[in-house]
Amino acid sequence: QVQLVESGGGLVQAGDALRLSCAASGDSFSNYAMGWFRQAPGKEREFVAAINWSRGTTYYKDSVKGRFTISRDNSKNTMYLQMNSLKPEDTAVYHCAAGWDSGVYTYTATEKYTTWGQGTHVTVSS
């Protein structure tokens, strides 16, 4: 059974940086898509970034391009989200997600992902 555990959230000021980690266990992830989603209070969960585990191809929400970088460490089965130049509108609970990379859904769709972590809070003050 795949399990995902996020860490690295916190309270920072606008312009600061944070790195989120997602430790994955329970399977070989070579055929998986892995993603980061976020949910702000009163809003729906939205796509942030995703990565094809084997090829390393990355995808980003337009508003985080150039500020956020998704990566993975195969040896540690861990995915990261480096977040620079944080803005108050980045405040949310960030969830990592994993799903079989079957190609039926795009990387931005929540339906692509079958396993979700519990989330880590990111608060950016102005």
Side-chain angles (χ1 to χ4, degrees):
Q1 182 177 358
V2 175
Q3 291 187 319
L4 305 173
V5 179
E6 303 99 332
S7 61
L11 171 62
V12 297
Q13 293 187 329
D16 286 351
L18 276 176
R19 189 177 79 157
L20 305 183
S21 299
C22 174
S25 61
D27 201 352
S28 169
F29 293 93
S30 59
N31 292 312
Y32 275 71
M34 304 284 288
W36 288 98
F37 288 75
R38 66 188 182 188
Q39 187 165 17
K43 295 187 177 181
E44 294 196 354
R45 187 170 296 188
E46 64 174 6
F47 168 78
V48 176
I51 188 166
N52 174 281
W53 192 268
S54 60
R55 295 190 302 271
T57 310
T58 58
Y59 309 83
Y60 294 96
K61 177 182 174 62
D62 284 346
S63 64
V64 308
K65 285 180 181 176
R67 299 190 298 124
F68 291 10
T69 302
I70 189 171
S71 63
R72 86 275 191 245
D73 184 331
N74 290 340
S75 66
K76 297 180 179 179
N77 265 8
T78 300
M79 177 176 66
Y80 303 98
L81 185 68
Q82 177 67 43
M83 305 186 295
N84 298 331
S85 302
L86 282 161
K87 303 177 181 180
E89 51 264 43
D90 295 318
T91 295
V93 177
Y94 284 70
H95 298 267
C96 66
W100 188 258
D101 197 5
S102 65
V104 174
Y105 295 104
T106 67
Y107 282 82
T108 64
T110 57
E111 293 87 349
K112 190 174 187 69
Y113 304 92
T114 53
T115 302
W116 295 80
Q118 82 287 350
T120 185
H121 289 258
V122 173
T123 303
V124 185
S125 63
S126 57

